[in-house]
């Protein structure tokens, strides 16, 4: 009955970036098992930085080959390494590297952002003992590497099963990481729980959609499904329902409305460096996968599925912006801002033009740089316990605690202002070039009305970004709240990360065209 | 009808075509760069440069003069056909098919200005070192002066209207900063603002003119515009010419935008001498002469230029007769003299050269007199009321003699500078190409009468200040000055020498430049060569009448202000005197016609903005915020409600997609 198993020929070289990151994750687990405790952190940090840096080099080495051939089908179609996939892998490795700098920073307090022993019950004696002994949960590094590896596979996945596996590989470490905050542990654990439950829920929908599509096309490969959309007749119900469910799985990951509810709670509860990593990199990976599905499978079904995507795009932009306006917690505000940005990126996705792909890629990098930088700054602004000589404790996340920050820490607040301006899409920042590119792509795609909505929404969004700038620079610290806010000095790693974010944001804002040209070249999916 | 007298003027190509600059001319950019560098160092260097900053300013201006002198010699030694050069600096604006290079045009016209600006400018820099010695912000003053020199040189050297506009705005800025230099006193700040606003009106005219020219020719550089202007339609050129005239009126304080110049005297006196007498205010004349090819095709616009010049000429002269403030009298005189230049420029090709000739001689003698006035103020504890001067010749001899040189020059008595240039303008005003029509009679008479009035008010100023009886003892009825014991004394050497040099220029420059019509021939590569036209009256008659009127005006002033005592408190005077004291009610007219309606307009706009625009905006904001509050309630923290939101979302999406399936 069954044909003899033919082992696929594997082009290992094409997988180097992914293998480097996942391999470093595996070595990281071994380090946890065998290295003495005191050297674990430096070893893990060096390993992680080396792996991400090596992945960037590997991407660069593969680049010319992909430019010439247009891409390679690897592992019998499970992985497709074409222009967008490679660009996204490079961006993920780069943002992962920057995120590692923030994750590793212990600041002048000597304590990183993670619980000394994440399994200890919050508030228990054991936790206090672990803290006194200076324990560190260095498992964070391999976990992040595994998540990063999953993310790098995600946009390159050529079939639905690989896509699902990658989804789980990237999601499971994130669920865990979300619950490991050193401060406000209950909030963190609640976030982790919610993220896990809702993520599992969304995964189930995704898997169900994949099953329906397999029923329709008899294959899980995207290329086969794309062919089947035009050849198979009479099973439209399966196709459409299946595609909607698969898209829902991805829309959940990018935090599009109405699948966004987890975002504010998780962004708020998770350790801030992880929030930055998750906000930047998960979006990058999920939008990459969504681009592939939309551009490979969707075109024949444009009339059926476009209304859905357009509707989600509009309400995502509107809800993200409107609710962000009434937030009082900075991490929640940034969470809603990320929802609004998901909407803006969707504008580029639904453009269905080649410039749509390159503009989305550009936007994702611009957004990622500013996001990691912004959350890095949030992780440095802390509360001080009341009373003389009060200890520096958790992050000062209430907006009122940020008033007057610019008067005391002009450089830090200046960098934050730059990131906010980039979010708001003010010219000469990367955010402006990105917004301009996606809106231009949508106009090319004949969606001028959507661009009008997008421009109105981004105009409204300027309000809450600029309000924060006004708060930092032009409002005097209010009474005790102001006095109780301080900025801890970074060990240097976070400073480097913020510096890279600032540099990237300005460079991409002032000279966007070189990168846009490269992306325009790379923006072709192969089936 | 009106044009018939002028259309027959030569309208062929005006001047030589430009050739690319080579050799020594490629350093022309230093003319702008040196003073700009000086300004930058002084402004950015801050207090560190306080000690030597003023000398740096002098050095920057002086070295610009040296560069200008080198270029001058090089141009003089080149044949006439190669005296118009374009120096390409860099590609400035590239937008689609539009390309504009930033470049400098070095030709006899711009070089005349370069020499005037840098020479007089450097002298005034030197004068200011001493004049501003006790001012705490002397460094800032020199920074602004250098900025002005750089902007003025850019204005006259620019090879396109757009670059000219940069310089145009630059001198406006420098003028604003310097008028309001002592802005701690309210009237000075108000005067600076007034000058700025009046200039903005003119600037708008220049902008519109640039747009018209760009719309018509697709270019703004002189070379292209001037070569295409010959074949352009007359209406278009007339519109451009009138807009250029508006710009010139703003910058050169011509009717009806002249009101700011009197108030601009609030600035330090060296500023009045440099900017508001010798150079910046003449930029309007430069603009008209530079745009000669545009006006060549727009005789009506040219006629308006002449009319505006004639009106301002009389206006300034009448105002000058009634002012008691020495600087404001000089300002009114400046206005009137620029009126002469405008009138000459408005006469077309036969007048352009004389307009620039008078501009140069006027730059010397007026700057000299302003510096003299500054010297008087220096010795008289900043008193400016001429009714409190008198007999000062005994106390400041050199100031008296140098001022007298300027006075004789502006009167236009031979052989002083003013005679050679002003007399030519009067002669030309009596002449047109065909020697008929009403124009030569009207313009000629106005110029002639203006000369007589000029003689009266300038002699009045001179006699009231230096002759007659002393009225500055501060004993009887001198409340303002009584607080200081006035002790007139001669000014220090640094102030004296610039005055002496300018006085020499006032005496001899006109005659030198007039030898063999040298200056007129020098400008020919730019304004073209024109045949001499015979005036409607014989030249000796015109000259005789002019000198007679001047002597009569001077005698009248002597009788009234030197031979008989001058009242310290101004008499009530006739209706005309009272009107002239108030600048012929120009401020009232402006306020009634423009300012108040403008204020009502802005008030109603502000009201509309508050009620309608802001109302809509805040209403929308409230709506957004309240809907945000509602949506926020959906985020209740319960994972079960999040999950049900997702399910509801999925159900809706699947249902919609399946329902709309075609």
């Amino acid at each position: 009955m069954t044909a003899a198993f033919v082992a696929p020929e594997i082009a290992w070289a094409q997988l180097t970036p992914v293998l480097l990151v996942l391999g470093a994750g595996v070595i990281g687990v071994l380090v946890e098992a065998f290295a003495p405790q005191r050297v674990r952190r430096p070893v893990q940090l060096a390993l992680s930085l080396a792996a991400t840096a090596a992945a960037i080099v590997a991407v660069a080495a593969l680049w010319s080959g992909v430019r010439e051939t247009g891409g390679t089908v690897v592992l019998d179609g499970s992985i497709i390494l074409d222009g967008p996939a490679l660009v996204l892998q490079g961006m993920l490795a780069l943002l992962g590297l920057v995120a590692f700098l923030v994750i590793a920073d212990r600041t002048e307090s000597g304590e990183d952002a993670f619980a000394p022993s994440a399994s200890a019950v919050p508030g228990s004696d054991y936790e206090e003992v672990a803290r006194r002994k200076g324990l560190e949960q260095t498992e964070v590094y391999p976990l992040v590497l595994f998540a990063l590896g999953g993310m790098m596979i995600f946009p390159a996945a050529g079939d639905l099963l690989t896509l699902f596996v990658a989804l789980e590989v990237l999601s499971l470490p994130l669920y865990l990481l979300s619950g490991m905050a050193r401060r406000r542990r209950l909030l963190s654990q609640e976030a982790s729980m919610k993220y896990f439950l809702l993520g599992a829920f969304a995964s189930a929908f995704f898997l169900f959609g994949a099953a329906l599509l397999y029923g329709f096309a008899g294959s899980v490969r995207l290329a086969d499904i794309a062919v089947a959309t035009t050849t198979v007749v009479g099973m439209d119900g399966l196709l459409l329902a299946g595609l909607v469910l698969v898209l829902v799985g991805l829309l959940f990951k990018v935090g599009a409305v109405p699948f966004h509810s987890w975002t504010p709670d998780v962004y708020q509860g998770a350790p801030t460096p992880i929030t930055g990593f998750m906000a930047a990199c998960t979006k990058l990976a999920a939008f990459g996968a969504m681009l592939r599905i939309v551009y490979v499978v969707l075109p024949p079904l444009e009339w059926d599925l476009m209304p859905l995507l357009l509707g989600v795009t509009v309400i995502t932009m509107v809800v993200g912006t409107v609710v962000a306006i009434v937030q009082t917690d900075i991490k929640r505000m940034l969470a809603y801002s990320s929802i609004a940005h998901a909407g803006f990126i969707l504008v580029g996705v639904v453009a269905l033009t080649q410039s749509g792909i390159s503009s989305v890629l550009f936007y994702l990098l611009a957004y990622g740089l500013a996001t990691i930088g912004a959350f890095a700054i949030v992780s440095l602004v802390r509360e001080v316990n009341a009373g003389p000589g009060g200890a520096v404790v958790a992050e000062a996340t209430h907006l009122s605690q940020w008033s007057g920050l610019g008067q005391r820490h002009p450089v830090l607040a200046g960098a934050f202002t730059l990131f906010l301006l980039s979010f708001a899409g003010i010219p000469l920042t990367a955010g402006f070039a990105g917004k301009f590119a996606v809106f231009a792509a949508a106009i090319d795609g004949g969606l001028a009305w959507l661009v009008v909505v997008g421009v109105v929404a981004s105009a409204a969004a300027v309000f809450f970004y600029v309000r924060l700038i006004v708060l930092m620079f032009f409002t005097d610290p209010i009474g005790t709240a102001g006095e109780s806010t301080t900025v801890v000095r970074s060990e240097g790693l976070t400073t480097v990360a913020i510096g890279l974010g600032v540099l990237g944001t300005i460079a991409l804002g002032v000279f966007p065209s070189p990168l846009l040209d490269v992306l325009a070249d790379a923006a072709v999916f192969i089936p | 009808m009106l044009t018939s007298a002028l259309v027959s003027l030569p309208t062929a190509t005006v001047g030589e075509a430009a050739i690319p600059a080579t050799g020594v001319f490629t350093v022309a950019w230093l003319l702008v760069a040196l003073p700009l560098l000086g300004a930058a160092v002084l402004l950015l260097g801050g207090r560190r440069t306080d000690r030597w900053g003023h000398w740096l300013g002098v050095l920057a201006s002086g070295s610009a003069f040296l560069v200008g002198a080198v270029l001058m010699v090089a141009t003089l030694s080149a044949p006439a056909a190669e005296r118009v050069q374009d120096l390409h600096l860099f590609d400035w604006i590239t937008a689609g098919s539009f390309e504009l290079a930033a470049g400098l045009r070095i030709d006899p016209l711009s070089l005349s200005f370069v020499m005037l600006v840098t020479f007089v400018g450097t002298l005034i820099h030197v004068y200011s070192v001493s004049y501003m010695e006790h001012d705490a912000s002397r460094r800032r003053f020199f920074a602004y002066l250098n900025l002005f020199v750089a902007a003025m040189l850019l204005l006259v050297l620019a090879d396109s209207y757009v670059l000219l506009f940069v310089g145009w705005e630059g001198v406006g800025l420098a003028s604003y900063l310097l008028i309001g230099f002592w802005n701690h006193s309210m009237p000075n700040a108000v005067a600076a603002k007034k000058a700025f606003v009046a200039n903005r009106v003119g600037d708008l005219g220049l902008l519109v003119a640039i747009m018209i020219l760009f719309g018509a020719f697709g270019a703004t550089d002189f070379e292209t515009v001037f070569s295409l202007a010959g074949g352009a339609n007359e209406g278009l050129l007339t519109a451009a010419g009138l807009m250029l005239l508006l710009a010139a009126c703003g910058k050169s304080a011509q009717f009806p935008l002249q009101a700011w110049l009197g108030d601009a005297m609030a600035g330090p006196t060296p500023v009045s001498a440099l900017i508001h007498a010798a150079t910046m205010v003449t930029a309007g004349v430069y603009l008209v002469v530079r745009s000669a090819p545009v006006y060549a095709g727009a005789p009506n616009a040219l006629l308006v230029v002449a009319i505006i010049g004639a009106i301002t000429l009389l206006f300034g002269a009448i105002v000058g007769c009634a002012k008691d403030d020495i600087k404001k009298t000089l300002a009114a005189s400046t206005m009137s003299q620029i009126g002469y230049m405008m009138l000459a420029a408005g006469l077309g090709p036969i007048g352009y050269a004389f307009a620039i000739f008078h501009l140069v001689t006027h730059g010397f003698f007026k700057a000299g007199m302003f510096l003299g006035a500054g010297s008087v103020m220096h010795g008289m504890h900043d008193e400016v009321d001429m009714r409190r001067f008198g007999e000062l010749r005994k106390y400041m001899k050199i100031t008296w003699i140098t001022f007298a040189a300027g006075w004789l020059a502006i009167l236009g008595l031979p052989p002083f500078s003013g005679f050679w240039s002003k007399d030519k303008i009067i002669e030309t005003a009596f002449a047109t190409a065909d020697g008929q029509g009403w124009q030569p009679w009207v313009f000629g008479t106005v110029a002639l009468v203006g000369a007589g009035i000029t003689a009266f008010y300038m002699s009045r100023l001179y006699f009231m200040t230096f002759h007659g009886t002393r009225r500055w003892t501060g004993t009887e009825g001198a409340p303002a000055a009584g607080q200081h014991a006035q002790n007139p004394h001669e000014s220090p050497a640094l102030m004296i020498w610039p005055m002496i040099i300018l006085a020499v220029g006032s005496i001899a420059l006109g005659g030198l430049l007039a030898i063999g019509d040298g200056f007129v021939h020098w400008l020919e590569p730019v304004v073209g060569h024109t045949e001499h036209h015979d005036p409607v009256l014989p030249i000796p008659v015109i000259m005789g009448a002019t000198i007679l009127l001047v002597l009569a005006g001077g005698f009248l002033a002597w009788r009234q202000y030197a031979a008989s005592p001058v009242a310290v408190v101004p008499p009530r005077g006739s209706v005309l005197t009272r009107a002239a004291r108030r600048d012929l009610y120009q401020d009232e007219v402006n306020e009634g016609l423009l300012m108040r309606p403008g204020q009502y307009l802005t008030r109603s706009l502000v009201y509309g903005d508050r009620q309608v625009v802001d109302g809509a905006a805040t209403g929308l904001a409230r709506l957004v915020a309240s809907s945000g509050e509602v949506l926020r309630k959906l985020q209740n923290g319960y994972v079960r409600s999040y999950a049900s939101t997702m399910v509801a979302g999925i159900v809706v999406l699947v249902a919609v997609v399946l329902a709309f399936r075609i």
Side-chain angles (χ1 to χ4, degrees), chain A residues 168-452:
Chain A
E168 292 307 308
V169 170
L170 81 87
S171 298
L172 289 171
L174 287 180
Y175 301 149
L176 208 52
L177 289 165
S178 301
M180 292 173 65
R182 180 182 283 271
R183 324 263 181 210
R184 296 180 182 145
R185 290 197 55 207
L186 284 176
L187 198 65
S188 172
Q189 294 186 348
E190 182 187 330
S192 175
M193 190 67 189
K194 282 178 179 167
Y195 194 16
F196 172 67
L197 284 175
L198 294 172
F201 200 46
S203 293
F205 282 115
F206 179 89
L207 210 49
F208 187 40
L212 292 180
L213 286 179
Y214 181 71
F216 167 77
S219 165
V220 289
R221 282 199 55 183
L222 294 178
D224 295 339
I225 298 170
V227 173
T229 51
T230 50
T231 53
V232 178
V233 282
M235 287 197 288
D236 281 8
L238 283 184
L239 171 65
L240 292 177
L243 262 181
V244 170
L245 292 178
V246 165
L247 284 175
V248 162
L250 298 175
L251 289 171
F252 173 84
K253 275 287 154 201
V254 302
V257 181
F259 314 105
H260 66 290
S261 330
W262 62 275
T263 320
D265 293 10
V266 174
Y267 277 25
Q268 187 188 16
T272 307
I274 294 301
T275 310
F277 169 69
M278 171 160 79
C281 296
T282 312
K283 255 201 184 67
L284 213 67
F287 267 113
M290 194 188 300
L291 275 176
R292 182 177 297 282
I293 290 181
V294 167
Y295 279 75
V296 173
V297 183
L298 197 68
L301 304 171
E302 197 184 332
W303 286 106
D304 298 301
L305 288 176
M306 271 318 250
L308 176 157
L309 282 176
L310 292 175
V312 169
T313 306
V314 170
I315 60 168
T316 303
M317 288 192 290
V318 171
V319 169
T321 304
V322 166
V323 185
I325 288 175
V326 293
Q327 295 306 312
T328 53
D329 182 287
I330 195 154
K331 286 172 82 178
R332 287 182 82 83
M333 193 201 90
L334 288 174
Y336 278 105
S337 135
S338 95
I339 295 172
H341 281 287
F344 295 133
I345 300 172
L346 277 170
V347 172
V349 174
V350 298
L352 282 185
T353 57
Q354 199 199 343
S355 60
I357 302 175
S358 57
S359 66
V360 166
L361 296 180
F362 186 91
Y363 199 121
L364 284 168
L365 183 63
Y367 165 81
L369 284 171
T371 301
I372 294 183
F375 279 109
I377 291 172
V378 172
S379 74
L380 294 180
V381 180
R382 303 289 178 86
E383 284 176 348
V384 182
N385 266 348
V392 175
V393 286
E395 283 144 8
T397 57
H398 197 274
L399 286 184
S400 65
Q401 292 171 307
W402 283 63
S403 57
L405 193 75
Q407 294 159 15
R408 281 170 294 141
H409 301 279
V411 177
L412 192 83
F416 200 68
T417 301
L418 179 75
F419 296 137
L420 290 173
L421 292 177
S422 184
F423 284 142
I426 303 298
L428 294 185
T429 61
F432 170 75
K435 269 208 179 85
F436 185 83
V438 291
F439 288 163
I443 287 187
D444 276 353
L447 293 170
W449 66 270
L450 187 65
V451 173
V452 171

Side-chain angles (χ1 to χ4, degrees), chain A residues 4 62 76 110 118 132 136 138 147 170 207 249 263 386 425 468 481 515:
Chain A
L62 292 173
D76 202 20
R132 285 228 195 88
E136 280 180 327
T138 42
L170 81 87
L207 210 49
T263 320
L468 193 49
L515 182 64

Side-chain angles (χ1 to χ4, degrees), chain B residues 175-434:
Chain B
S175 157
Y176 168 79
L177 291 172
L178 285 165
I179 295 172
F181 187 73
W182 291 317
N183 56 10
H184 40 76
S185 121
M186 195 58 179
N188 294 2
V190 171
K193 192 173 77 179
K194 185 173 175 183
F196 197 76
V197 171
N199 269 290
R200 292 309 301 170
V201 178
D203 297 347
L204 193 68
L206 184 51
L207 271 178
V208 174
I210 294 174
M211 290 173 204
I212 292 175
L213 294 174
F214 178 71
F217 308 127
T220 62
D221 59 306
F222 293 152
E223 195 68 29
T224 320
V225 170
F226 293 166
S227 63
L228 294 177
N233 130 345
E234 187 186 324
L236 192 122
L237 291 179
T238 306
L242 289 177
M243 284 297 132
L244 289 172
L245 175 63
L246 179 62
C249 285
K251 197 59 87 193
S252 294
Q254 298 294 289
F255 181 84
L257 294 176
Q258 81 287 23
W260 64 270
L261 188 60
D263 293 341
M265 296 300 125
T269 308
V271 171
S272 312
L274 179 60
I275 301 186
H276 303 117
T279 56
M280 183 194 84
V281 285
T282 59
V285 182
Y286 168 80
L287 186 69
V288 172
V289 174
R290 175 58 85 196
S291 308
V294 173
Y295 284 104
N300 281 331
L302 209 50
L303 182 62
V304 178
V305 173
I307 294 174
I308 292 288
I311 293 176
T312 315
L313 187 173
L314 285 180
F315 196 110
I318 293 170
V319 170
C321 293
K323 290 285 181 188
D324 289 328
D325 180 324
I326 185 169
K327 284 182 74 183
K328 293 202 168 171
T329 312
L330 285 171
S333 151
T334 303
M335 197 190 295
S336 168
Q337 294 300 310
I338 297 173
Y340 269 108
M341 301 171 206
M342 282 299 223
L343 172 61
L347 296 171
I350 51 170
Y352 289 144
F354 299 130
I356 300 298
F357 189 12
H358 192 52
L359 192 157
V360 171
T361 56
H362 172 257
F364 274 78
F365 60 68
K366 186 55 68 61
M369 282 193 284
F370 259 115
L371 295 190
S375 175
V376 168
M377 286 162 62
H378 187 80
M380 294 292 286
H381 227 292
D382 284 338
E383 178 61 75
V384 290
D385 188 351
M386 295 189 291
R387 292 186 182 275
R388 298 185 193 284
F389 292 162
E391 217 183 1
L392 288 177
R393 68 181 191 284
K394 291 181 183 158
Y395 301 90
M396 22 183 89
K397 276 213 161 47
I398 299 177
T399 306
W400 167 53
I401 294 169
T402 56
F403 200 98
W407 167 63
L408 290 168
I410 196 171
L411 253 51
L413 288 176
F416 297 96
S417 272
F419 165 75
W420 304 98
S421 53
K422 197 185 207 169
D423 194 58
K424 280 292 181 191
I425 293 181
I426 298 173
E427 266 177 40
T428 316
F430 272 112
T432 54
D434 48 7

Side-chain angles (χ1 to χ4, degrees), chain B residues 582-596:
Chain B
R582 311 194 55 177
D583 299 324
L584 298 180
Y585 300 116
Q586 179 65 28
D587 282 340
E588 282 77 4
V589 170
N590 282 350
E591 281 172 19
L593 277 183
L594 303 170
M595 193 182 92
R596 294 227 178 77

